[in-house]
Amino acid sequence: MKYVAEPFRIKMVETIRMTTREEREQYIKDAHYNLFNLRGEDVYIDLLTDSGTNAMSQEQWAGILRGDEAYAGAKSYYKLLDTAHELFGYEYIQPVHQGRAAEKVVFPILVKKGNVCISNMFFDTTRAHVELAGGKAVDCVVAEAKDPAMKAKFKGNMDVEKLRRTIEELGVENVSLIVMTITNNSAGGQPVSMKNLKEVYALAQSYGLPVCIDAARFAENAYFIQRDEEGYAERSIEEIVKEEFSYGDVFTMSAKKDAIVNIGGLIGVRDEKKHAELVEKIKSNCINFEGFVTYGGLAGRDMEAMAIGLTEVVDRDYLAYRIGQLEYLGAKLEEAGIVIQSPVGGHGIFVDARSMFPHIPYYEFPGQVLAVELYKEAGIRTCDIGSYMMGNDPETGKQIQAEFDFTRLAVPRRVYTQAHFDVMAEALINIKNRAKDIKRGYKITWEPKILRHFQAHLEPIEE
Ligand code: F0G
């Protein structure tokens, strides 16, 4: 597979420190084998997340200088509103400081206590905010998503039949909200088809249920629709984005992904008149938690950069390069017999660590084993998306067996070059070749009660 050349050139560089294997072995030991505890400067290629780690363009940096820092009614706020109205077709737009802030503002308004919310798949923070609002989060993703080796289009889709059955079984009065996550991060950045968005919205309307789009990677999703869905090849990314958003009533967005910035988030309400009460409450929660409605926890300069990033991300050449970069790496890995969530999704490569270490059980965390090996091998920082991240059952205290044990290589936007991707492939292939010699995984020596993977201490289990 050919690497799609960058549709940009580099004008400013950031030096990264090279380390030796010996040094890295010490750093990761000192970090208690938890990659979140490493210092950024001890990492060569940082694939911990694609969130807020993007490289801004010269236009965005120029925008940073132009940012209007008026407390109320800043020029940068109106610039962001104009861009978002045009792009998404939503009447009410509310800036916030990041995705989970949008969830914190919106979900307590939409989620009734004791009710269920259903998604193709909830991301950790959306799940947490449903639960904090007193609801229960249920996933209804299509079965194909759960088979990493199975190549299928739109593996991020909602299982519409299962959604209908779930609503019927629960009784519609016990359901608050339907959430469509585009792309589907937890399933490996897998896209959702337009047909699926449309069907889910029609079903929700027939039950009178609102649909919230969790829109962090809306442009990457639009690219997949244009490339792979019948009838969309001739439609522009902008047209596809507008149609995606037409199948929702509300959206929450972490702008740290597809707005190609380092901080920011958005809330949108499509029909401001129909949902006047919702908008009222959003404004009031925003003032309480984030800041006045015309800045929502951001500096004016951040809104300026976000407005510009939102126009850059819908450029087809950029998206072809972005997804092409991941496909280049995915193809190299598959050629070497490494199982990944395939086809390759939008923002990262999810390596099936269980199939690389079939002899390491889920309770010794194969996803974490591979993440630590990648760091020791080449200074690459990734994370476990598996049993280590899932933690313990809150009722029994027992380790949960996750659906998958993935190691996620999440790729920052416009940051790494083809040579970096070759380093990633080589490191993974080297590890695969000696996977049999890595006999045991990790045990946890200390963990906090919730979201333990960020802070826990681990220790290798001696043979
Ligand atoms: N929704 C999705 C689908 C996400 O992927 C994220 C963040 C959020 C909401 C929350 O946004 O971080 O701005 O508060 N995902 C990051 C990741 C952290 O690494 O996948 P946030």
Side-chain angles (χ1 to χ4, degrees), residues 49 51 98-100 103 123 125-126 181 185 214 216-217 254 256-257 408:
T49 178
S51 181
Q98 64 181 82
R100 68 200 72 179
E103 294 152 17
F123 177 68
T125 61
T126 47
T181 313
N185 184 2
D214 179 1
R217 300 176 181 88
S254 167
K256 298 172 73 174
K257 285 83 169 170
R408 181 180 83 165

Side-chain angles (χ1 to χ4, degrees), residues 97 167 197 226 228 258 345 364 371 396 458 462:
H97 88 274
I167 298 170
L197 282 165
Q226 189 191 57
D228 295 338
D258 269 354
E364 291 184 14
T396 63
L458 300 107
E462 299 300 334

Side-chain angles (χ1 to χ4, degrees), residues 12-28:
M12 192 188 282
V13 295
E14 179 185 1
T15 303
I16 36 184
R17 198 164 75 86
M18 309 301 279
T19 52
T20 63
R21 183 173 179 109
E22 212 175 11
E23 285 171 327
R24 293 194 292 273
E25 283 179 355
Q26 190 58 46
Y27 296 146
I28 193 69

Side-chain angles (χ1 to χ4, degrees), residues 196-205 211 246-249 270:
N196 192 247
L197 282 165
K198 192 173 181 175
E199 282 176 8
V200 169
Y201 191 60
L203 186 74
Q205 285 206 309
V211 171
S246 74
Y247 304 127
D249 302 295
R270 191 148 60 88

Side-chain angles (χ1 to χ4, degrees), residues 77 80 93-97 265-267 286 293-296 298 303:
Y77 164 73
L80 176 61
I93 295 291
Q94 176 62 62
V96 288
H97 88 274
L266 283 177
I267 298 169
C286 189
V293 290
T294 67
Y295 74 88
L298 292 170
M303 295 190 281

Side-chain angles (χ1 to χ4, degrees), residues 103-406:
E103 294 152 17
K104 185 181 179 200
V105 165
V106 169
F107 283 16
I109 308 170
L110 294 178
V111 180
K112 289 193 207 80
K113 280 202 173 56
N115 263 15
V116 169
C117 298
I118 309 171
S119 179
N120 50 343
M121 265 180 122
F122 285 98
F123 177 68
D124 325 8
T125 61
T126 47
R127 181 181 305 279
H129 279 289
V130 166
E131 286 165 5
L132 284 168
K136 186 167 176 263
V138 171
D139 291 336
C140 260
V141 73
V142 290
E144 302 92 277
K146 296 179 184 168
D147 182 356
M150 181 183 169
K151 283 204 193 299
K153 284 179 185 172
F154 301 107
K155 278 168 94 171
N157 278 355
M158 177 87 87
D159 182 335
V160 182
E161 244 341 280
K162 192 169 167 199
L163 171 65
R164 184 199 310 277
R165 263 201 327 274
T166 310
I167 298 170
E168 285 297 328
E169 280 163 21
L170 290 165
V172 64
E173 67 284 2
N174 297 312
V175 181
S176 284
L177 180 67
I178 293 172
V179 176
M180 287 300 271
T181 313
I182 62 169
T183 58
N184 187 331
N185 184 2
S186 309
Q190 293 296 316
V192 175
S193 72
M194 195 70 90
K195 179 165 177 278
N196 192 247
L197 282 165
K198 192 173 181 175
E199 282 176 8
V200 169
Y201 191 60
L203 186 74
Q205 285 206 309
S206 74
Y207 284 109
L209 289 169
V211 171
C212 175
I213 300 179
D214 179 1
R217 300 176 181 88
F218 70 94
E220 290 169 5
N221 201 79
Y223 176 77
F224 284 106
I225 290 175
Q226 189 191 57
R227 197 191 64 181
D228 295 338
E229 189 164 349
E230 216 188 306
Y232 287 92
E234 301 303 319
R235 304 274 294 277
S236 70
I237 296 291
E238 285 92 334
E239 284 172 311
I240 294 172
V241 167
K242 201 161 271 148
E243 187 177 342
E244 280 178 339
F245 281 83
S246 74
Y247 304 127
D249 302 295
V250 185
F251 73 78
T252 55
M253 180 188 295
S254 167
K256 298 172 73 174
K257 285 83 169 170
D258 269 354
I260 328 187
V261 287
N262 304 120
I263 194 73
L266 283 177
I267 298 169
V269 178
R270 191 148 60 88
D271 187 335
E272 196 172 355
K273 272 190 214 77
K274 182 172 160 200
H275 296 292
E277 204 185 317
L278 173 65
V279 171
E280 262 326 295
K281 288 182 180 162
I282 288 174
K283 285 182 182 168
S284 136
N285 277 356
C286 189
I287 292 170
N288 290 332
F289 302 139
E290 288 287 285
F292 186 59
V293 290
T294 67
Y295 74 88
L298 292 170
R301 64 181 84 102
D302 300 325
M303 295 190 281
E304 191 82 22
M306 209 202 295
I308 297 164
L310 285 171
T311 63
E312 292 178 356
V313 78
V314 292
D315 173 18
R316 200 185 173 283
D317 292 340
Y318 157 76
L319 287 167
Y321 140 80
R322 161 80 175 155
I323 306 300
Q325 203 174 42
L326 294 164
E327 288 182 330
Y328 172 78
L329 176 59
K332 275 186 180 264
L333 300 181
E334 288 190 321
E335 239 173 65
I338 295 173
V339 182
I340 58 173
Q341 174 65 297
S342 77
V344 170
H347 66 289
I349 299 280
F350 290 59
V351 181
D352 183 0
R354 249 182 229 170
S355 92
M356 191 175 294
F357 303 107
H359 52 285
I360 299 179
Y362 71 91
Y363 49 82
E364 291 184 14
F365 316 129
Q368 183 70 7
V369 171
L370 180 55
V372 172
E373 287 304 317
L374 268 170
Y375 178 67
K376 289 197 290 195
E377 178 77 23
I380 298 169
R381 174 156 68 173
T382 57
C383 69
D384 167 282
I385 303 271
S387 303
Y388 170 56
M389 187 186 86
M390 284 299 279
N392 301 318
D393 186 308
E395 274 156 32
T396 63
K398 275 209 178 127
Q399 173 63 48
I400 302 169
Q401 175 170 13
E403 199 96 57
F404 322 99
D405 279 293
F406 283 136

